[in-house]
């Protein structure tokens, strides 16, 4: 079976106004996330797929992230199969943090990658 190569980008290629889709679980999200990201945990993904299609409605590209890139790769593959412009962010939140890209928390505590 042949799969198309998974589209992926480096964290440096994610535009500051890009649509980041964070598929980590809620405890991971609470520890630290990209400001303005759409949080749809992989475990809820199928049930909340409508939120994702709404977010990409204007043909926006989804930059899919998890902690290191495994879960987001699966979600990216699913989105691409649905005809959505989605790319996996290589290295996930660990790479994002390592590159010094900004992270926030909902309660104002210092953000970190769980």
């Amino acid at each position: 079976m042949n799969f198309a190569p998974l589209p992926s980008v480096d964290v440096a290629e994610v535009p500051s106004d890009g649509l980041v889709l964070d598929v980590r679980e809620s405890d991971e999200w609470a520890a630290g996330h990209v400001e303005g990201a759409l949080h749809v945990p992989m475990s809820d993904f199928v049930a909340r797929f409508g939120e994702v299609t709404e977010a990409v409605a204007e043909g926006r590209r989804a930059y899919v992230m998890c902690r290191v890139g495994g879960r987001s790769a699966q979600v990216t593959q699913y989105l691409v199969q649905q005809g959505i412009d989605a790319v996996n962010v290589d290295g996930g939140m660990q790479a994002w943090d390592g590159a010094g890209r900004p992270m926030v928390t909902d309660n104002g505590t210092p953000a970190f990658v769980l």
Side-chain angles (χ1 to χ4, degrees):
M1 214 188 253
N2 285 333
F3 290 103
L6 187 71
S8 62
V9 296
D10 185 81
V11 291
E13 296 174 65
V14 180
S16 55
D17 62 347
L19 170 64
V20 173
L21 174 59
D22 191 325
V23 299
R24 298 174 303 153
E25 295 306 312
S26 295
D27 58 335
E28 295 174 284
W29 168 267
H33 55 268
V34 177
E35 189 167 12
L38 173 61
H39 180 224
V40 181
M42 189 170 168
S43 56
D44 295 342
F45 202 79
V46 175
R48 295 177 57 191
F49 185 63
E51 292 174 51
V52 178
T53 55
E54 203 172 286
V56 298
E58 281 100 55
R60 289 181 75 190
R61 165 172 280 185
Y63 294 88
V64 189
M65 277 218 278
C66 64
R67 188 165 63 91
V68 292
R71 287 171 287 179
S72 54
Q74 294 175 49
V75 171
T76 300
Q77 191 167 44
Y78 176 76
L79 291 173
V80 169
Q81 287 168 347
Q82 309 304 311
I84 291 170
D85 181 8
V87 292
N88 190 34
V89 178
D90 282 332
M93 285 300 295
Q94 286 189 332
W96 183 273
D97 188 31
R101 301 281 310 251
M103 297 189 304
V104 296
T105 58
D106 293 334
N107 62 8
T109 57
F112 67 97
V113 177
L114 186 65

